Amino acid sequence: MSDFGLYTYQQEVVERALKRENIIIWLPTGGGKTRAAVYVAKKHLETTPNAKVMVLVNKVHLVDQHYNKEFEPHLGLRYAVRKVSGESDEKDFFGLVVQESDVVICTAQILYNALINKEEARHVELSDITLLIIDECHHTHKESVYNKVMRLYVEKKLKGEKPLPQILGLTASPGTGGAKTLEKAVEHVLEICANLDSAIVSTKQYAPELKEVVPRPRKTFNIVNMRDRDPFGDHLKSMMTIIHGYMDIPPDFKLRECGTQEYEADVVVLEQRGVRDNNRLLAQCALHLRQYNDALLINDTLRMIDAYRSLEEYYSTKSTKAIDGTDFFLLGLFEENQVELRNLAMDSRFENPKMDELQRTLLQQFGSGVPSRGILFSKTRKSTHCLKDWVLKNRALKDAGIKADILTGAGNGITYMTQNEQAETIRSFRMGSLNLLISTSVAEEGLDIPECNLVVRYGLLTNEIAQQQASGRARAKNSQYAVVAQAGGREHRRERINEYLEELTGKAIDRVQRMSHHEFYLKLSELQQKAIISSKIEESCKMEKRRSNTASNIQFLCRNCFTPVASGSDIQLVDNTQYVNVSPDFKNHYKAAERVILERSFEDWEPGCRIRCKKCDKEWGFEIKYKKHVLMPNLAIKNFALETPKGRITVKKWKDVPFTVEDFDYEEYCQENFPDLFD
């Protein structure tokens, strides 16, 4: 193994995998889990007839990373190594790619789609794979795509179907699953093991070597006292109180404290209740209160002007969309207070003391004369943009040589980054033309980012897994992991809780590892059978719910103005991914807006324009052009309310709608809508 460059602790954790056991490798971030997996894959390919290695990742950018940094360099000379993601054309004939390859690196969704797709060119059987490597495998729970793949595996295992692939999971932290006691944490770890049908291994004999190779950063709590006065925040709260009085909150409902995550959860429930009860006053006031609460949360973490701009941006899109007295009241309230809010936001006497502490934290590292690299973790895409604006305008940070840019998740929309933008930002950081990344959680997990000597967590309330992942980014010697937080505040308390939970995770894993072989695998079998039964019951309930309503009995309403716009029977499913309205009458209810630009291309369709409600301008989704000439609106279900025989409901995802959606039949659609072509 030494010729492969493995440390002794890595050799220790792969021993059981080399004996063809299913295992989860538990090593900290930076501990070389992927390199250990490449070694297992190499030995597997050398010793297994007709070997087929599949490497699953949970984020698209990790496909390229694992291919370019590890698997292709070490295995590419002797074996056919391929990478496939949603960005790749190969996904459309994935079954053939697997047949022609020795090693395939792909997103888990690609494999799951192939397992359930019966079309020969796309289909893959689990029995085609001899080694299945699952990166960041702590995500194998509930309805994650990892767990959907492994549920198919476990079902086959319990039925005695063979062959099945060997499983190799990789994780820096299984976490406790929200458990606060050792017994519950043990139960969580066992569930992860059962879902992966694997034992969990870590270094025991060579733990000192691991500590030397992956030193933990020096942790500091940079504590800030509360503002003496906050007239801007107080003014926002007074406006919220006025809305409370106007909206007539139901007597059985109690809102919690403004400016908290709990309050946000409350107004989300109120909006849903307003929609269900046909109470637009309640629903709209709740939506606006959420914006004010967001501004309070921004004011607590960032500059006052950032909080003001978030409201200004929201109301700039609302001024032309008022349709009743509720809208006029809410717009009028903001406009009456806009000048006062702007003046308060510009008053430097009441600026956020956390920003001063953040500046000191950055200057301690970047102003020391030592070449530095850092990551500043923040909660939202919006906050990363605000922090970048602050850094670029801050003379002291500029003089210290800080060159910053943002790194956020990929997606569609102004605040998202494309895959290419992500790659370019990381490349610039690696080359040194950037030395500070201002990032959301996308940089916590998996991304191959150069060693940093400073990691700052700012305004974050996350779990112990995210904390460990972020801490692991500070890998340089004498590095610092800093938490900037208010004394006794939410972030400070959460960070302390996470420290306890991290320790609890270690104890739970140790307890699981000490179980006898018989006890461990008996427990795994019990949990697997229970999980399969629960899954079948849940699926049966969903099917029963869908059967209880015919699609024609479901009416779609715009979620903003409650206008009826479609029937459930108008909705069909294209390529198992796009929910479209096939009724030609639907175009009477919407207007086309700006074009949608997607970085990736698709086999049978391309995006068109965004669509909005003609009456109130609520965004509903976007058009797709199918097979080059059929234009259909693709709907986001969260933007609609559903009127059912049992009352009005809202759902977040299409899988939760209470009726069966028919598959789209292209030929039938053309015959109905273009009859002249078939004469």
Side-chain angles (χ1 to χ4, degrees):
M1 293 189 204
S2 57
D3 62 323
F4 197 75
L6 291 189
Y7 290 103
T8 316
Y9 72 83
Q10 289 171 305
Q11 297 175 27
E12 180 185 0
V13 297
V14 301
E15 282 177 0
R16 291 174 65 178
L18 296 178
K19 296 174 184 175
R20 300 189 182 276
E21 288 186 52
N22 288 358
I23 66 159
I24 299 165
I25 292 177
W26 174 46
L27 286 175
T29 301
K33 296 181 292 297
T34 310
R35 179 63 56 85
V38 175
Y39 182 80
V40 173
K42 177 175 179 288
K43 289 300 179 186
H44 182 87
L45 289 161
E46 291 170 352
T47 59
T48 307
N50 303 313
K52 191 79 65 181
V53 178
M54 185 83 69
V55 184
L56 299 189
V57 298
N58 64 327
K59 293 177 182 173
V60 173
H61 55 255
L62 297 179
V63 174
D64 282 337
Q65 179 178 298
H66 284 342
Y67 177 85
N68 295 329
K69 300 286 291 185
E70 294 288 356
F71 285 90
E72 172 60 23
H74 289 100
L75 303 177
L77 287 177
R78 288 189 59 188
Y79 303 101
V81 182
R82 301 282 288 276
K83 57 177 182 173
V84 185
S85 71
E87 311 287 305
S88 318
D89 292 336
E90 289 92 336
K91 71 182 185 301
D92 298 321
F93 45 92
F94 185 67
L96 301 179
V97 172
V98 172
Q99 288 177 29
E100 297 166 359
S101 309
D102 300 307
V103 180
V104 178
I105 304 162
C106 65
T107 51
Q109 191 66 52
I110 295 287
L111 175 59
Y112 182 69
N113 291 346
L115 290 171
I116 62 175
N117 192 319
K118 299 308 176 188
E119 191 180 327
E120 188 175 347
R122 301 187 185 208
H123 182 64
V124 172
E125 285 284 349
L126 279 171
S127 57
D128 297 334
I129 306 164
T130 56
L131 174 63
L132 184 61
I133 299 172
I134 302 181
D135 189 38
E136 308 293 357
C137 70
H138 51 273
H139 292 296
T140 313
H141 61 93
K142 297 180 181 175
E143 288 306 304
S144 73
V145 67
Y146 277 167
N147 212 25
K148 289 179 180 178
V149 170
M150 284 308 302
R151 201 173 283 150
L152 295 174
Y153 174 103
V154 170
E155 280 194 42
K156 288 181 179 292
K157 177 207 165 188
L158 293 177
K159 291 175 184 175
E161 294 182 22
K162 293 183 180 179
L164 287 171
Q166 179 187 350
I167 305 296
L168 176 62
L170 311 174
T171 184
S173 174
T176 68
K180 302 291 195 299
T181 65
L182 181 57
E183 292 304 320
K184 290 289 185 183
V186 167
E187 197 174 297
H188 171 73
V189 172
L190 283 169
E191 282 178 0
I192 294 289
C193 290
N195 292 343
L196 287 153
D197 195 43
S198 300
I200 187 164
V201 300
S202 55
T203 183
K204 299 290 186 185
Q205 190 174 349
Y206 299 101
E209 181 192 41
L210 174 61
K211 283 187 178 179
E212 190 177 318
V213 173
V214 190
R216 289 185 70 102
R218 174 175 58 91
K219 184 168 185 176
T220 62
F221 282 98
N222 299 6
I223 300 303
V224 184
N225 290 323
M226 285 183 67
R227 283 182 173 111
D228 291 332
R229 290 180 58 209
D230 182 16
F232 176 78
D234 292 341
H235 198 83
L236 289 177
K237 289 176 182 177
S238 70
M239 294 170 70
M240 293 168 80
T241 301
I242 292 171
I243 297 174
H244 291 164
Y246 180 80
M247 68 194 293
D248 193 19
I249 298 170
D252 63 335
F253 198 93
K254 186 171 176 59
L255 286 166
R256 284 169 285 186
E257 184 184 355
C258 296
T260 64
Q261 301 288 354
E262 292 78 15
Y263 182 91
E264 180 177 319
D266 289 343
V267 292
V268 166
V269 171
L270 266 187
E271 188 271 340
Q272 293 169 345
R273 182 162 170 174
V275 171
R276 285 198 306 270
D277 295 347
N278 198 31
N279 185 342
R280 189 171 186 274
L281 167 64
L282 189 65
Q284 287 302 303
C285 287
L287 285 174
H288 286 248
L289 285 170
R290 184 172 183 180
Q291 295 298 321
Y292 282 102
N293 197 64
D294 281 349
L296 283 173
L297 290 169
I298 294 169
N299 181 52
D300 183 55
T301 308
L302 302 166
R303 299 168 297 183
M304 294 184 293
I305 195 64
D306 297 319
Y308 169 75
R309 283 174 184 158
S310 74
L311 281 174
E312 186 179 52
E313 183 182 331
Y314 177 74
Y315 280 100
S316 70
T317 66
K318 291 285 182 184
S319 57
T320 60
K321 302 172 188 174
I323 61 174
D324 65 14
T326 298
D327 296 327
F328 287 112
F329 165 76
L330 292 166
L331 284 168
L333 180 66
F334 177 73
E335 288 168 359
E336 288 166 14
N337 288 272
Q338 188 170 2
V339 173
E340 177 70 10
L341 284 173
R342 188 190 299 121
N343 290 339
L344 289 170
M346 300 291 287
D347 193 331
S348 59
R349 292 176 299 165
F350 308 113
E351 199 47 271
N352 192 345
K354 289 182 186 175
M355 300 296 287
D356 292 334
E357 187 58 42
L358 178 59
Q359 177 177 311
R360 278 193 290 273
T361 301
L362 293 172
L363 289 176
Q364 281 173 1
Q365 187 68 53
F366 286 93
S368 63
V370 178
S372 298
R373 272 201 184 96
I375 304 179
L376 170 56
F377 284 109
S378 189
K379 183 182 178 184
T380 64
R381 292 187 300 276
K382 184 186 288 185
S383 65
T384 62
H385 284 269
C386 294
L387 285 167
K388 178 186 174 182
D389 181 68
W390 170 70
V391 169
L392 293 177
K393 291 177 179 176
N394 188 300
R395 173 65 63 182
L397 298 180
K398 193 173 181 180
D399 290 345
I402 292 180
K403 299 181 287 287
D405 208 345
I406 61 170
L407 181 65
T408 61
N412 309 311
I414 296 170
T415 59
Y416 285 92
M417 298 182 78
T418 66
Q419 298 292 336
N420 288 338
E421 286 170 339
Q422 279 186 341
E424 183 57 38
T425 299
I426 293 166
R427 191 178 302 116
S428 299
F429 190 63
R430 189 176 290 122
M431 299 298 291
S433 55
L434 295 175
N435 55 16
L436 179 67
L437 288 181
I438 304 171
S439 179
T440 55
S441 59
V442 71
E444 287 174 348
E445 190 171 282
L447 272 181
D448 179 36
I449 292 174
E451 292 180 359
C452 300
N453 45 17
L454 177 66
V455 166
V456 183
R457 300 222 333 143
Y458 186 69
L460 286 173
L461 288 167
T462 54
N463 62 19
E464 72 280 8
I465 295 176
Q467 177 179 299
Q468 286 173 261
Q469 299 277 7
S471 174
R473 297 292 153 213
R475 299 183 202 169
K477 283 192 174 180
N478 303 315
S479 58
Q480 180 187 1
Y481 171 81
V483 179
V484 177
Q486 184 177 298
R490 296 168 299 159
E491 298 97 333
H492 189 193
R493 292 197 303 273
R494 184 69 225 187
E495 201 76 18
R496 290 298 192 193
I497 290 169
N498 286 342
E499 289 175 352
Y500 163 72
L501 294 178
E502 182 180 349
E503 187 180 325
L504 189 63
T505 300
K507 289 178 179 177
I509 292 171
D510 184 62
R511 174 81 68 86
V512 169
Q513 290 172 334
R514 290 175 185 274
M515 293 173 72
S516 70
H517 183 278
H518 174 74
E519 182 189 5
F520 176 74
Y521 285 101
L522 183 66
K523 185 66 177 173
L524 251 58
S525 181
E526 289 174 3
L527 288 170
Q528 288 171 344
Q529 289 174 8
K530 181 180 174 183
I532 294 297
I533 291 168
S534 296
S535 173
K536 289 185 182 300
I537 291 172
E538 189 175 331
E539 187 56 36
S540 175
C541 290
K542 283 183 181 177
M543 291 298 292
E544 190 60 38
K545 185 178 176 184
R546 292 191 193 110
R547 287 195 202 101
S548 66
N549 294 300
T550 59
S552 58
N553 284 342
I554 306 297
Q555 191 79 24
F556 277 57
L557 315 178
C558 173
R559 186 155 177 169
N560 183 57
C561 64
F562 300 170
T563 302
V565 293
S567 164
S569 56
D570 299 334
I571 310 300
Q572 293 186 3
L573 179 58
V574 174
D575 293 346
N576 209 36
T577 54
Q578 311 298 322
Y579 288 84
V580 300
N581 190 313
V582 297
S583 169
D585 295 332
F586 187 61
K587 65 178 180 291
N588 298 322
H589 295 289
Y590 74 83
K591 55 187 177 183
E594 70 276 13
R595 282 194 64 81
V596 174
I597 306 298
L598 300 181
E599 187 183 28
R600 56 197 264 201
S601 59
F602 302 88
E603 182 184 20
D604 290 325
W605 64 274
E606 59 187 81
C609 296
R610 296 193 188 281
I611 61 171
R612 299 179 183 278
C613 175
K614 265 189 180 177
K615 182 176 180 182
C616 70
D617 220 29
K618 169 78 173 172
E619 186 175 325
W620 286 347
F622 61 90
E623 293 174 325
I624 63 169
K625 186 180 284 188
Y626 189 70
K627 301 282 189 185
K628 304 294 184 188
H629 70 274
V630 175
L631 196 64
M632 298 179 292
N634 173 37
L635 306 181
I637 189 62
K638 65 180 181 180
N639 296 326
F640 296 89
L642 304 181
E643 197 75 71
T644 79
K646 295 182 179 179
R648 191 177 297 179
I649 63 169
T650 58
V651 296
K652 288 183 180 178
K653 297 182 179 179
W654 277 103
K655 66 181 179 64
D656 298 320
V657 297
F659 65 96
T660 302
V661 178
E662 300 290 334
D663 287 331
F664 177 71
D665 187 315
Y666 176 66
E667 188 174 327
E668 182 182 305
Y669 179 87
C670 290
Q671 286 177 345
E672 288 182 6
N673 292 275
F674 309 105
D676 295 346
L677 298 176
F678 294 88
D679 286 344

